[in-house]
Amino acid sequence: MRRTLIAGNWKMNGSLSSIEELISGIKDGLAEVTNADMAVCPPAIYISKVNDLIGDSGIGLGSQNICDQESGAFTGELAPSMLKEFNCSYAIIGHSERRSLYGESDELVAKRFAMAVQSGVIPLFCIGETLEERESGIMEDVVSRQIDAVIDTQGIDAIGKCVIAYEPVWAIGTGVTASPEQAQAVHAFIRSKLAALSEDVAAKVQILYGGSMNAGNAKELLSQPDIDGGLIGGAALKPADFLAIGKSA
Ligand code: 13P
């Protein structure tokens, strides 16, 4: 049985005071979230502070990226060992904003993925198609290509060490959510693609949905058989909404 994971991607939001309020609000309601693990991915500069604020509450911690190298002359990047020093269990990799705004290729995303796995950090591996790609009927090709970049370089077993986040680009930050049926169809496609290589990996890998998931639509999305949680943007910035998503699991 796959456990549900609700992870908040704070993106480039927050301040020293707002993150204190946010973590304290989440901690206050955490006991009511019984069927999901909860995690937060703050901006890098706040990881240390959030690690302190989380304490032993059980809230998981992740970064929003991870370098494909161990250390050295890589200005602006975050080494896996640094993330581990601050208890980051997860690293978001291949988010569509990194791919589209900062030019991260499938190849680079796969290299970051490899370094995360090698370092014991779980990739929150983001994939998803644009509206144009969906409308031109190449959605499955795009998602396959993104996954194959990892499988071709690291093998199917590497996928068993990550959490996949299917985030249709057209649903991110737009208020337009994929319908439960649309999301389930892609999640089932991903799982069947993996099953062709390894039934075991396909059965165990968590596949989260991301894209305008909120307190109102989470229950229906999370009740789909192949949706194992959510990667939440905007709604993760308000404790009540983030907790409500966790409680609807
Ligand atoms: P929103 O929930 O704001 O649409 O963002 C989703 C996302 O990009 C999470 O990584």
Side-chain angles (χ1 to χ4, degrees):
M1 190 62 193
R2 295 180 299 269
R3 179 126 177 111
T4 299
L5 172 64
I6 304 296
N9 174 8
W10 294 359
K11 308 193 179 185
M12 198 175 71
N13 293 293
S15 64
L16 277 175
S17 63
S18 77
I19 63 173
E20 274 195 41
E21 268 175 53
L22 184 44
I23 294 295
S24 115
I26 298 170
K27 278 161 93 172
D28 286 348
L30 200 60
E32 290 158 50
V33 179
T34 48
N35 285 327
D37 294 327
M38 304 292 280
V40 294
C41 302
I45 198 166
Y46 295 134
I47 285 174
S48 165
K49 175 85 178 169
V50 171
N51 180 38
D52 292 343
L53 292 169
I54 282 174
D56 60 2
S57 63
I59 300 169
L61 183 58
S63 63
Q64 295 179 15
N65 215 339
I66 186 169
C67 191
D68 63 324
Q69 306 288 328
E70 280 175 19
S71 66
F74 303 100
T75 302
E77 291 285 329
L78 287 169
S81 60
M82 298 170 188
L83 296 175
K84 295 210 74 175
E85 279 191 298
F86 292 97
N87 298 315
C88 284
S89 312
Y90 301 101
I92 296 173
I93 296 177
H95 192 279
S96 70
E97 287 148 21
R98 298 298 319 170
R99 293 176 188 266
S100 68
L101 302 174
Y102 298 96
E104 292 198 12
S105 62
D106 288 333
E107 191 190 9
L108 174 59
V109 169
K111 285 186 182 165
R112 292 188 190 277
F113 186 115
M115 183 54 75
V117 167
Q118 182 186 316
S119 315
V121 175
I122 301 168
L124 283 176
F125 174 42
C126 299
I127 56 175
E129 82 290 355
T130 62
L131 187 58
E132 197 185 4
E133 288 163 340
R134 172 171 279 257
E135 286 177 344
S136 57
I138 57 166
M139 172 185 72
E140 293 185 351
D141 299 336
V142 170
V143 168
S144 281
R145 190 200 73 223
Q146 292 169 333
I147 298 174
D148 286 341
V150 170
I151 297 178
D152 292 348
T153 51
Q154 295 150 65
I156 182 67
D157 288 344
I159 296 290
K161 297 180 179 134
C162 83
V163 173
I164 294 174
Y166 168 61
E167 301 207 307
V169 178
W170 47 272
I172 295 177
T174 57
V176 179
T177 317
S179 69
E181 295 73 26
Q182 282 175 319
Q184 167 57 27
V186 182
H187 284 229
F189 166 73
I190 295 167
R191 213 179 290 285
S192 69
K193 173 185 167 60
L194 300 177
L197 297 170
S198 165
E199 295 273 359
D200 180 48
V201 168
K204 82 173 183 199
V205 70
Q206 291 166 298
I207 309 178
L208 316 187
Y209 168 80
S212 300
M213 195 191 258
N214 58 42
N217 59 32
K219 196 169 184 60
E220 240 197 307
L221 284 160
L222 294 173
S223 66
Q224 301 300 312
D226 289 298
I227 300 185
D228 308 314
L231 185 55
I232 320 295
L237 299 172
K238 297 184 202 116
D241 289 6
F242 190 54
L243 287 164
I245 295 171
K247 280 186 253 179
S248 54

